[in-house]
Amino acid sequence: MGWSAEQTEAGTRGEPGGPGTDTAGAGAGAVGAAAEAAGPRPQADGAGAGSGEGPRAPVALSPSRAGDFMQCPLLYRFRVIDRLPEKPSPAATRGTVVHAVLERLFDAPAAERTAAGARAMVPGEWEKLLAKRPELAGLFADAASDDADGTPAAPDGAAAERLATWLAEAEALVERWFTLEDPTRLEPADRELYVETELESGLRLRGIIDRVDVAPTGEVRIVDYKTGKAPRPQFAEGALFQMKFYALVVWRLRGVVPRRLQLVYLGSGDVVTYDPGEADLRGVERKLLALWEAIQRATATGDWRPRPTKLCGWCDHQAHCPEFGGTPPVYPLEVRPPDGAVVPQGRMEQI
């Protein structure tokens, strides 16, 4: 097949009969070029989120927000329409740093892409992230150690120790990646690639792909890094849905179904692959259209119902959730009942 890297199948490298080890040639950047034609990257699915504009109805769908709606429609509302703040977590922040290292590692010549060099990049990428988001320093500092103006104070001994442990964990994840893939034999066509397309129905799909490998023959492999552990088989469909979403977008942008979807789980050292077909992606498209119709109905009626699961214990919005005795904020959009009348939305009643 001639990928721009060796195949990694279930955590092994160079499996017989798999793709070869040719570096990417013709076709590199083709997906990126198609994505560039889609226009500039917006800030959020909710159009204007974080830009200072008022609340607006959702205008596009990403894998994360699709997952939110399937998990809990009320969570989708809180994130996309109400845009309620959420506390940063050490795990999510560590994932951001690890992704940054694995993206920027390929700026170096192939021979210089070493595990030691990648580990050494972790503190620097953390400092860059901290400069953009100073509030992240609070992940490791005690609340009592903040300055009077709310600025995180210099780390005390315990906070410095927590930060050192956290950095070491990030470094270990980066180092484990080298046991799963060989970056000296990889020349990605694109990294952290923003893609967006509009389906015939008018639904806009968008997302960010960690890595795209393109073989000299034009075959495309989509790769996503996960800093957690591989889920048990009965729970693997969620991650595969995300990858199929990306595959659908790339197919619609480029007219070619990606040959392989690859999930790299750094937490457990597993590599999961899936080879999609057109029937798969048409099924995903139908599912997304049905999902978008449900989102549009909820947006118009203001009927965003919670869906209790075990994941509720980790939700930042329990204080606003009826399942926990909370009350959602006043719905910020107009409600349009089926008869077309416009009625201001009050508080959502407990369901």
Side-chain angles (χ1 to χ4, degrees):
M1 192 179 303
W3 290 101
S4 58
E6 59 194 10
Q7 179 180 2
T8 53
E9 185 79 49
T12 61
R13 292 188 289 176
E15 182 166 329
T21 58
D22 299 333
T23 56
V31 176
E36 285 295 324
R41 179 189 305 189
Q43 295 185 349
D45 293 352
S51 65
E53 297 181 13
R56 294 179 60 183
V59 296
L61 200 57
S62 70
S64 296
R65 300 293 79 83
D68 286 345
F69 188 84
M70 290 187 289
Q71 176 186 325
C72 175
L74 186 57
L75 174 63
Y76 177 95
R77 175 200 149 171
F78 287 158
R79 286 179 167 170
V80 176
I81 295 178
D82 298 300
R83 288 172 282 181
L84 298 182
E86 296 183 357
K87 295 179 294 185
S89 72
T93 306
R94 182 171 54 238
T96 300
V97 170
V98 169
H99 275 74
V101 170
L102 297 183
E103 177 192 3
R104 293 180 175 87
L105 177 69
F106 290 100
D107 292 339
E112 297 177 15
R113 301 169 193 163
T114 64
R119 285 182 65 107
M121 294 171 64
V122 169
E125 291 302 327
W126 160 241
E127 292 297 332
K128 291 178 185 177
L129 181 61
L130 188 60
K132 295 177 181 177
R133 299 181 58 192
E135 72 276 10
L136 293 178
L139 290 172
F140 311 103
D142 294 329
S145 67
D146 288 356
D147 292 337
D149 63 357
T151 303
D156 57 19
E161 185 176 346
R162 288 192 291 270
L163 174 58
T165 299
W166 181 85
L167 288 171
E169 292 168 348
E171 291 169 0
L173 291 172
V174 168
E175 188 165 27
R176 179 171 288 158
W177 178 67
F178 283 78
T179 69
L180 305 174
E181 297 189 284
D182 182 356
T184 65
R185 304 169 72 182
L186 278 165
E187 292 298 338
D190 293 288
R191 295 168 275 154
E192 291 294 311
L193 175 66
Y194 174 76
V195 290
E196 179 175 326
T197 192
E198 183 172 322
L199 303 180
E200 291 182 0
S201 65
L203 170 58
R204 296 193 72 81
L205 303 178
R206 57 178 62 146
I208 300 175
I209 301 173
D210 288 345
R211 198 180 85 216
V212 178
D213 299 330
V214 180
T217 54
E219 291 168 307
V220 175
R221 174 169 63 184
I222 296 175
V223 181
D224 193 76
Y225 307 121
K226 302 293 186 186
T227 50
K229 297 181 179 180
R232 286 176 289 179
Q234 62 267 38
F235 300 113
E237 184 55 36
L240 280 178
F241 174 77
Q242 173 193 6
M243 299 301 285
K244 292 176 183 179
F245 183 109
Y246 291 145
L248 173 62
V249 174
V250 170
W251 180 33
R252 293 308 187 201
L253 280 173
R254 200 174 170 216
V256 175
V257 175
R259 175 65 178 83
R260 176 148 298 172
L261 310 178
Q262 182 164 300
L263 287 154
V264 182
Y265 288 96
L266 303 175
S268 56
D270 294 303
V271 177
V272 177
T273 62
Y274 182 81
D275 296 346
E278 286 193 15
D280 281 323
L281 303 189
R282 292 188 191 281
V284 171
E285 184 170 354
R286 289 192 295 270
K287 182 173 183 176
L288 290 173
L289 290 174
L291 197 65
W292 187 244
E293 289 176 0
I295 290 172
Q296 288 181 313
R297 284 196 300 271
T299 302
T301 63
D303 186 10
W304 300 92
R305 305 195 178 198
R307 183 174 296 139
T309 68
K310 294 179 180 179
L311 297 175
C312 291
W314 286 274
C315 184
D316 278 344
H317 307 302
Q318 293 178 10
H320 298 288
C321 180
E323 292 295 322
F324 290 86
T327 302
V330 174
Y331 191 55
L333 303 178
E334 288 183 330
V335 172
R336 297 181 181 273
D339 62 4
V342 178
V343 181
Q345 171 69 11
R347 293 182 180 273
M348 179 182 286
E349 297 180 357
Q350 185 165 343
I351 297 172

